[in-house]
Structure formats: C-alpha cells, structure tokens
Amino acid sequence: MCERIVPNRSLGTPIVRMGTVTSTMDIARTLIRHGANEGATVIAAHQSQGRGRAGRTWDSPASTGLYCSIILRPHIPAADFQPMSIAVGLALCDALDPGHRNNLELKWPNDILVQGRKLAGILIATDLYGPVVESAILGIGINLLPDPAQPSLAISLAELSNRSAIPASDLFPAIAAALRARYSAILDGNPERALQGWSDRLAYRNQLVTIEDGPHRLTGILLGIDSAGSLHLQTPSGPKLITSGDLNRGPQPS
C-alpha cells in the first residue's frame, strides 16, 4: 500500500512574480514538472493567452488585474476534490467582500459576479493518478481596474471601492488565507464546511436559468448546490442534478 502524502496546506508560498507570460497556468505546469511544492504561486502582470473554461480566453490587460495560479497537491480521490471550484469561489467572496457590503455572488460553477457583471473567474486543471488527484493548478483572475473594452460585461474592484488602484500585493494575503481555510476542509473530508455559506452567495437562486453542456440545454429553477458542488435544478419534468455546464440567467433562445 502506498503511503498517503499529506499536503502542507501553505498556499501562496513561495510567490513567483512575473511580467508578461502566455498564462500563469503554463508557468505553474512547468514548475510542477520540476517538482515544485504545494502552495507555490505564480503572479503575472499580464497574460497574452489567459485561459478560461471550455477553451475560452481570460481577457488579461496589462497591470489591470490579479492573474495567478497556485499549485495544489491534494492526493485525494477525484470525487472528494469535486467541490473545490465552488469552495474557491466562496473563498474569493470571503476575502474580497467579508462584510457582504458589495454583494459578491458566485455564479456556478466558477465566476464571481457583482450586479450581474463579472469580477473574477476561476479555472482548475487536475492531474490524476488513477482515481486520485495527484496535482492541480488553481487559476484565478480578478479585475482590479476597469476594462474599457468590456464596460457592460465586467466590473472591477476599483469601481466597487472608489479607489484609483488596488495593488495585487495588498489583496493576495487575504485571498490565500481564505483559500487555505476552505481547502483544508476539502482535504479533511468535510465538504459541508468547505462550502459553508453558499446559500448567501449563490447567484440566481430561485430564479429561472438555463444550463448548456455541449449540445444539451436544460432550463429550470435554480434551487441550490449540494456538498459535492453539483447544481440542483427544478425542471418541468422534475428535479435534475447538474454536474457540469455553463449557466445563464433566464431562458435562452434556440
């Protein structure tokens, strides 16, 4: 029997700060190949090919956002790691809006919204050894300053705080601490604690939404999420459990 490797849970150390990169996830992948420890973090001022879900790009204008990737080595079954994306979203809400003053919301499964506009995005890439997540890269992008190219779609922390600039270095310690708390709960096999508070943060709860997953489309009332991070949807044909897909508010045109 293989000895279980215990993760060190020290997220955010060491930090590798860079200027322009293709993607912080590319750099983190290289660090993993060279044996980097869990918690090693890449922060860049600009990404020329930032990554989003489903092959989409994350718009990364120079020096206007926090673009980072964190190396994880959880060594737990993939099923136990499944709630991690939701846990990360909630951790960002913890760090960026601890008093709920800005009403940050989690758009399942990986976006942070304010008033329906995107503030931050999350991407997790995993490497499996059989059924076990041997390593993972947690990618986070946060809008720090307004992006004139997307005024109606995106929102920034500067707009919420009425500050001209918010250095990434001022934000990251609180983000790392919030991530560590919820990640520790995942590793401890306590998904309920990892996802604690989701009902206060889940965007479009009790509203009509549409889930698109490839060619499949399903519309219904968003009821909530469970301890696995799966979405519960009430549809005309009965309740449905959703484990993947893109969520949009309201019915979508055919």
Side-chain angles (χ1 to χ4, degrees):
M1 179 180 296
C2 294
E3 181 180 358
R4 183 178 185 272
I5 299 175
V6 179
N8 66 29
R9 310 187 187 191
S10 298
L11 303 187
T13 56
I15 294 177
V16 179
R17 298 188 183 275
M18 307 188 76
T20 296
V21 299
T22 54
S23 164
T24 58
M25 298 193 82
D26 291 339
I27 306 300
R29 178 69 63 195
T30 299
L31 293 177
I32 285 178
R33 288 199 297 267
H34 286 84
N37 290 332
E38 176 170 77
T41 299
V42 180
I43 298 179
H46 175 229
Q47 297 182 122
S48 61
Q49 299 176 36
R51 297 181 189 173
R53 286 185 73 243
R56 291 185 287 267
T57 59
W58 171 269
D59 189 34
S60 309
S63 302
T64 64
L66 170 62
Y67 316 120
C68 74
S69 289
I70 303 172
I71 293 173
L72 306 177
R73 296 189 180 274
H75 294 277
I76 60 174
D80 294 344
F81 191 70
Q82 185 177 332
M84 186 63 186
S85 180
I86 306 300
V88 172
L90 293 172
L92 291 181
C93 291
D94 295 340
L96 302 177
D97 187 31
H100 289 251
R101 290 186 297 273
N102 291 318
N103 297 317
L104 267 62
E105 295 182 304
L106 171 67
K107 179 189 172 188
W108 183 91
N110 68 331
D111 288 340
I112 305 300
L113 304 182
V114 180
Q115 301 168 6
R117 297 165 67 190
K118 186 171 179 177
L119 174 69
I122 301 155
L123 180 65
I124 301 179
T126 58
D127 286 324
L128 299 178
Y129 185 78
V132 172
V133 180
E134 184 176 71
S135 65
I137 300 173
L138 165 58
I140 296 173
I142 303 173
N143 299 323
L144 300 182
L145 296 174
D147 180 2
Q150 301 189 66
S152 63
L153 300 177
I155 194 168
S156 68
L157 284 177
E159 293 169 89
L160 297 178
S161 63
N162 293 318
R163 291 172 59 183
S164 58
I166 301 177
S169 57
D170 290 354
L171 291 175
F172 191 72
I175 292 172
L179 288 171
R180 186 162 51 245
R182 292 189 183 265
Y183 179 51
S184 292
I186 295 282
L187 297 180
D188 290 341
N190 191 337
E192 290 81 9
R193 177 160 58 91
L195 304 186
Q196 185 175 8
W198 69 261
S199 60
D200 294 330
R201 294 290 192 181
L202 186 62
Y204 311 137
R205 189 182 181 199
N206 296 322
Q207 297 183 37
L208 191 68
V209 299
T210 298
I211 308 295
E212 296 185 75
D213 192 3
H216 305 291
R217 177 179 291 180
L218 193 61
T219 298
I221 301 297
L222 194 164
L223 300 178
I225 58 175
D226 60 22
S227 60
S230 300
L231 195 71
H232 288 249
L233 202 67
Q234 182 64 47
T235 75
S237 60
K240 303 290 183 181
L241 185 66
I242 311 297
T243 59
S244 64
D246 289 324
L247 183 150
N248 290 288
R249 185 179 187 182
Q252 299 298 301
S254 300

